[in-house]
Amino acid sequence: MNFVKESVNQTPIVDTVFSIVAKAKEAKAKVGADNVVDATIGSLYDEEGTLVALDSVYSSLKNLDNKVLAAYAASFRGNPDFRKKVYDWVLNGNSHLEHEVIATPGGTGAVGMTLQECLDEGQTVILPEIAWGSYALMAQMHNLNVEKYSLFEEDHFNLNSFKAACKKVMEKQNRLVMVINDPCHNPTGYSLSEEEWKEVISFLNECSKTHAVVLLNDIAYIDFSSRQEKAKEYFAQFDQIEKNFVVIVAFSLSKSMTSYGLRCGAAIVLGQEKEAVEQVKIVFEKDARATWSNINNGAMATFVDVLDNHKADYDKERLHYVNLLKERGDIFVKEANEVGLKHYPYKEGFFVTLSMDNETRDKFHEALMENNIFTVKVNLGIRVAICSLSVEKTKGLAKKMKDILDTVA
Ligand code: PLP
């Protein structure tokens, strides 16, 4: 007997993160935290091993009037000042397209809404082969098929595979929707070069001559790019999109404001023509109202207040962690290269991912845990969360991992 809809997949979620987080915790209780390397947690942690919650953000939140926290948002699309601030902060003057912003519960809301509303059931979404797991789950829940592109050709973006995936999907449907998680790709830490973005846009412009194109650019980690404002310059390339092409930029306050639990983000819709942007806006607004109604008013008000009144403090605090993340990443990658521990091309961001086939990965992951090193399995690799690993624990880790890998490979 079915109590849920016939078409939904009932297989439970295979949890690859929280079960390992729990094992790492157990190990710490058993052998002491100093003897455990816990590279599982995907949130930013400081050098003392605690979650980073930026003071500039939380003092702003706590100073808000209770009535601001209590109130509904001003609109189902989010508060007007929040929408404007998101657009200005994210695009940073680099875009000159028609645009609309819809507030969402985190980046998850923006990505999920795009997949649900831009594709019909049974159609195909194009995803990276190594990716944040929620994309595939969203596709499954919305009854979408998935076509994957391989991410790398040697140490650069695999444009050929990306093109092949798009062409394959174009043969069977009239609309192309693809995810590019960039910059600071989760979990490899890759960021496309300006040249790579240029080629992507030029290819998709060709596709848009016969098919509607929706590019979903998931920028969840952008504010932790080591390039900071420079990391936003590629948005200028979107100015070249043709009229049959829209871009949805999925923005998240979770990382940008270290406010994972406040559940706030936005979908920024960009297009050459007002009608195209308006069409997406209307449908997204209805989806918002039908799904979550409206967004956390306090989170939106905090974002606006931080950027209006505490920007210098916020920048200073954030930059401290941007630099720390870079230090951890540089150490791990340098040492990995020295000992020949293979990893995907890492440029910046929360994670480095070791590259290997899935059979080796499974054996290696077990062997690492036997040595009190906890990581997360991803497709074709092992994710090392440098975002939550202290500099001290990062030092020497690559060699330890390589020695263990040599025992299983
Ligand atoms: N996109 C990517 C690649 C992520 O890794 C995450 C969070 O882990 C998100 C989007 C969305 O996060 P949130 O919904 O908390 O904003």
Side-chain angles (χ1 to χ4, degrees), residues 160-216:
N160 288 325
S161 176
F162 179 76
K163 286 182 178 176
C166 292
K167 283 180 185 160
K168 192 167 165 196
V169 172
M170 283 164 80
E171 281 169 21
K172 51 181 186 180
Q173 66 193 48
N174 60 0
R175 198 158 49 248
L176 268 187
V177 180
M178 75 288 300
V179 176
I180 298 187
N181 172 206
D182 188 89
C184 315
H185 173 263
N186 174 5
T188 66
Y190 189 71
S191 293
L192 270 71
S193 66
E194 284 273 336
E195 194 49 43
E196 286 169 333
W197 265 116
K198 199 179 270 180
E199 291 187 47
V200 166
I201 298 300
S202 139
F203 169 72
L204 293 178
N205 272 340
E206 278 302 306
C207 299
S208 77
K209 288 181 178 157
T210 51
H211 290 66
V213 173
V214 180
L215 164 61
L216 175 52

Side-chain angles (χ1 to χ4, degrees), residues 34-201:
D34 288 350
N35 301 312
V36 173
V37 174
D38 181 0
T40 56
I41 302 163
S43 308
L44 189 61
Y45 273 50
D46 61 21
E47 289 293 284
E48 283 68 52
T50 55
L51 182 72
V52 174
L54 299 178
D55 280 340
S56 49
V57 171
Y58 290 94
S59 51
S60 159
L61 177 79
K62 287 177 183 166
N63 275 326
L64 291 177
D65 191 295
N66 287 350
K67 291 188 171 49
V68 172
L69 298 173
Y72 278 132
S75 127
F76 297 107
R77 279 189 286 133
N79 297 339
D81 57 353
F82 173 76
R83 298 201 305 258
K84 179 168 182 344
K85 196 60 77 188
V86 164
Y87 179 78
D88 291 345
W89 172 252
V90 172
L91 280 309
N92 202 32
N94 290 302
S95 181
H96 308 88
L97 294 165
E98 293 290 336
H99 58 270
E100 288 286 351
V101 176
I102 292 97
T104 57
T108 303
V111 175
M113 178 186 247
T114 305
L115 298 197
Q116 181 164 12
E117 299 303 342
C118 294
L119 286 166
D120 288 292
E121 290 199 13
Q123 287 193 316
T124 299
V125 60
I126 300 165
L127 299 178
E129 178 180 48
I130 306 166
W132 183 45
S134 294
Y135 302 140
L137 181 62
M138 290 171 188
Q140 185 195 87
M141 295 307 282
H142 302 318
N143 284 322
L144 303 174
N145 299 312
V146 173
E147 183 66 41
K148 292 184 178 168
Y149 60 93
S150 137
L151 265 178
F152 303 112
E153 200 171 37
E154 292 167 9
D155 62 351
H156 55 86
F157 183 68
N158 196 337
L159 193 70
N160 288 325
S161 176
F162 179 76
K163 286 182 178 176
C166 292
K167 283 180 185 160
K168 192 167 165 196
V169 172
M170 283 164 80
E171 281 169 21
K172 51 181 186 180
Q173 66 193 48
N174 60 0
R175 198 158 49 248
L176 268 187
V177 180
M178 75 288 300
V179 176
I180 298 187
N181 172 206
D182 188 89
C184 315
H185 173 263
N186 174 5
T188 66
Y190 189 71
S191 293
L192 270 71
S193 66
E194 284 273 336
E195 194 49 43
E196 286 169 333
W197 265 116
K198 199 179 270 180
E199 291 187 47
V200 166
I201 298 300

